Amino acid sequence: MGTLKEDAYIKIREGIVTLKFKPGQWLHDTELSKLFNIGRTPIREALIKLEQEGFVKSMTNKGFMVSEIDAKGINELYEVRAYMESLAVRRLSLDPLPEKIKILEDIFINIKNLNDNLPLSVRFNIGQKFHRTLIALSENELAISIMDTVYDHIERVRWLDISLNDRFVENMESHLRIIKLIKEGDTEGAEKEVKRHVFASKDSILKFFEQRKNLLYL
Amino acid sequence: MGTLKEDAYIKIREGIVTLKFKPGQWLHDTELSKLFNIGRTPIREALIKLEQEGFVKSMTNKGFMVSEIDAKGINELYEVRAYMESLAVRRLSLDPLPEKIKILEDIFINIKNLNDNLPLSVRFNIGQKFHRTLIALSENELAISIMDTVYDHIERVRWLDISLNDRFVENMESHLRIIKLIKEGDTEGAEKEVKRHVFASKDSILKFFEQRKNLLYL
């Protein structure tokens, strides 16, 4: 992939994930070209790649629009996530290498106790890092590539979950339980816990989605 | 997506899946443009989409090459497939609608007995149709889109499995067992059977891959 196209791709995708470009917003290649000071051809090629990943939709003769977010889509993202993370813990628990376990445990090393009064952004990042690391350690390149896109889609809506603060201790305990089950080689137990954990997040976000979705369009 | 680009995309992808374009073969946009009588811009845009899906690889200043096939990649494809099909049978078994069950059962309606002496291509098609239908009936658009690509990748290697003939009765019984478990709402049982079934296919293909992979390059 050419450097200019890659540049354009990374910048537009980041704008979408951080909601700088809002769901439903039109993206015009001439405007993006000016904004990022990148030619229209690499911008267009980046948009085609982003369309393929579901971040934008192309409308014939109208250009590209940032893809919208709805409850059905959130549900689908979390389902795929639950099953891809199950795949990852399966692989890890079938061959629980100490160096991999250590990488997972180190994510939580600086959290002295589960009641630490951590800011919301830190809570977000720990959870995200744990899940992205699970997938990375699976070493299934296809799953890694699928989840790279899925996590970014989820990123757009995750902070709608205002109950994350309440669920932090519960989530932390669940993360540690998953590590323990992997360590013990309990594949079935680890897969079950991952699914329970991810589906609980899904239910929580969906609970708040309808009443807070307008915030995505601010 | 423009019609010309879509045309180019479908034709090149079909060429790759049916091994008309071999793994490792260079695809030159000028040649493809002549072959399909489609302009170079839509050809290039189609190649970018195919790169995103892993069917070709772009090499800086060298153009595009049909992606190669190796045991690691086959393993990854079948793992993702096992888990996405688990997701599908979960959804189906949680709400086993009679009209969906009927669609699955109808796939096998013309097979009078499991010892029918069906040609290999028919055996292939029945299995493929069952699995693709499972995913389609899940109605998870994200999973459907992921598997559309995964099944086509698998297509490139599936006929390496020379033991498919022996496993036909076993596979058929497994398909019918999956339908029965969905019907009974036995989510855990259905998921287990799907995984067992897909991992058995994977083991069988991997067993023959090393000794027969040269056939992919003929």
Side-chain angles (χ1 to χ4, degrees), chain A residues 195-209:
Chain A
K195 278 185 206 150
R196 202 201 50 72
H197 177 87
V198 174
F199 284 130
S201 297
K202 184 194 74 173
D203 292 344
S204 185
I205 285 201
L206 286 178
K207 190 174 142 197
F208 296 108
F209 175 69

Side-chain angles (χ1 to χ4, degrees), chain A residues 87-88 91-92 100 133-141 143-144:
Chain A
L87 180 163
R91 271 218 185 183
L92 289 166
K100 289 192 175 182
T133 305
L134 269 186
I135 294 287
L137 291 174
S138 81
E139 293 174 25
N140 180 319
E141 298 298 331
I144 291 170

Side-chain angles (χ1 to χ4, degrees), chain A residues 56-183:
Chain A
V56 303
K57 282 196 170 177
S58 84
M59 312 289 197
T60 319
N61 300 326
K62 278 189 151 184
F64 293 87
M65 196 185 80
V66 178
S67 66
E68 310 232 25
I69 295 167
D70 58 22
K72 181 176 187 296
I74 293 173
N75 197 35
E76 292 179 0
L77 286 163
Y78 273 85
E79 271 188 355
V80 169
R81 179 180 155 193
Y83 278 81
M84 287 296 98
E85 292 189 6
S86 285
L87 180 163
V89 301
R90 173 179 179 272
R91 271 218 185 183
L92 289 166
S93 61
L94 287 177
D95 184 18
L97 300 173
E99 60 269 31
K100 289 192 175 182
I101 304 286
K102 195 181 174 316
I103 290 169
L104 289 171
E105 287 175 337
D106 282 354
I107 296 168
F108 304 100
I109 211 162
N110 287 320
I111 300 164
K112 294 196 184 54
N113 65 72
L114 289 179
N115 297 311
D116 265 355
N117 216 356
L118 295 164
L120 197 62
S121 66
V122 176
R123 290 168 181 231
F124 264 135
N125 289 341
I126 292 169
Q128 194 185 70
K129 193 171 176 189
F130 173 71
H131 291 283
R132 288 193 191 249
T133 305
L134 269 186
I135 294 287
L137 291 174
S138 81
E139 293 174 25
N140 180 319
E141 298 298 331
L142 177 59
I144 291 170
S145 134
I146 291 168
M147 289 309 297
D148 180 48
T149 305
V150 169
Y151 285 128
D152 272 5
H153 275 287
I154 286 177
E155 202 67 6
R156 291 207 288 170
V157 297
R158 231 185 111 219
W159 54 272
L160 287 182
D161 183 0
I162 50 177
S163 72
L164 180 81
N165 244 1
D166 309 329
R167 291 188 303 112
F168 181 66
V169 172
E170 186 190 319
N171 279 342
M172 287 293 296
E173 285 169 351
S174 176
H175 294 151
L176 298 175
R177 206 150 50 228
I178 291 166
I179 296 175
K180 188 169 169 284
L181 291 162
I182 289 173
K183 219 170 174 170

Side-chain angles (χ1 to χ4, degrees), chain B residues 33-187:
Chain B
S33 174
K34 266 185 227 161
L35 182 64
F36 297 131
N37 196 24
I38 294 174
R40 278 180 65 198
T41 302
I43 292 280
R44 257 198 85 78
E45 291 186 348
L47 286 166
I48 290 168
K49 195 172 169 205
L50 289 161
E51 182 190 9
Q52 180 63 17
E53 295 173 342
F55 290 107
V56 303
K57 281 196 170 177
S58 84
M59 312 290 199
T60 319
N61 300 325
K62 280 190 149 184
F64 293 87
M65 196 185 81
V66 178
S67 66
E68 310 231 26
I69 295 167
D70 59 21
K72 183 177 187 296
I74 294 173
N75 197 36
E76 293 180 359
L77 285 163
Y78 274 85
E79 272 187 355
V80 168
R81 179 181 156 191
Y83 279 82
M84 287 296 97
E85 293 189 6
S86 285
L87 180 163
V89 299
R90 174 178 179 272
R91 272 217 185 184
L92 289 166
S93 62
L94 287 177
D95 184 17
L97 301 173
E99 59 268 32
K100 289 192 175 181
I101 305 286
K102 192 179 176 317
I103 291 170
L104 290 171
E105 286 175 339
D106 281 355
I107 296 169
F108 304 99
I109 211 162
N110 287 321
I111 301 162
K112 295 198 182 52
N113 65 72
L114 289 179
N115 298 309
D116 266 355
N117 216 357
L118 296 163
L120 197 61
S121 65
V122 176
R123 291 168 180 233
F124 263 136
N125 290 341
I126 292 168
Q128 194 187 70
K129 193 169 176 192
F130 173 71
H131 291 283
R132 288 193 191 247
T133 305
L134 268 187
I135 293 288
L137 292 175
S138 80
E139 293 174 25
N140 181 319
E141 298 299 330
L142 177 59
I144 291 169
S145 135
I146 291 167
M147 290 309 297
D148 180 50
T149 306
V150 169
Y151 285 128
D152 271 5
H153 276 287
I154 286 176
E155 201 66 8
R156 289 207 288 169
V157 297
R158 233 185 111 217
W159 54 271
L160 287 182
D161 184 0
I162 50 177
S163 72
L164 181 81
N165 246 359
D166 310 328
R167 293 189 301 112
F168 181 67
V169 171
E170 187 189 319
N171 280 342
M172 287 293 296
E173 285 169 349
S174 177
H175 294 151
L176 297 174
R177 206 149 50 228
I178 291 166
I179 296 174
K180 187 169 169 285
L181 291 162
I182 289 172
K183 218 170 175 172
E184 291 166 353
D186 184 349
T187 303

Side-chain angles (χ1 to χ4, degrees), chain A residues 11-58:
Chain A
K11 282 173 176 156
I12 302 169
R13 176 158 158 169
E14 198 200 351
I16 293 168
V17 170
T18 59
L19 297 171
K20 184 181 155 193
F21 303 137
K22 307 290 179 299
Q25 182 179 329
W26 288 99
L27 296 177
H28 302 286
D29 50 6
T30 38
E31 283 170 25
L32 293 173
S33 174
K34 266 184 224 161
L35 181 65
F36 297 132
N37 197 24
I38 294 173
R40 277 179 63 196
T41 301
I43 292 280
R44 257 197 84 78
E45 292 186 347
L47 286 168
I48 289 167
K49 196 171 167 205
L50 288 162
E51 182 189 9
Q52 180 63 16
E53 295 173 341
F55 289 108
V56 303
K57 282 196 170 177
S58 84

Side-chain angles (χ1 to χ4, degrees), chain B residues 11-30:
Chain B
K11 282 173 177 157
I12 303 169
R13 177 158 157 169
E14 198 199 351
I16 293 168
V17 170
T18 59
L19 297 169
K20 183 180 155 193
F21 303 136
K22 307 290 180 299
Q25 181 178 332
W26 289 101
L27 296 177
H28 302 285
D29 49 7
T30 39

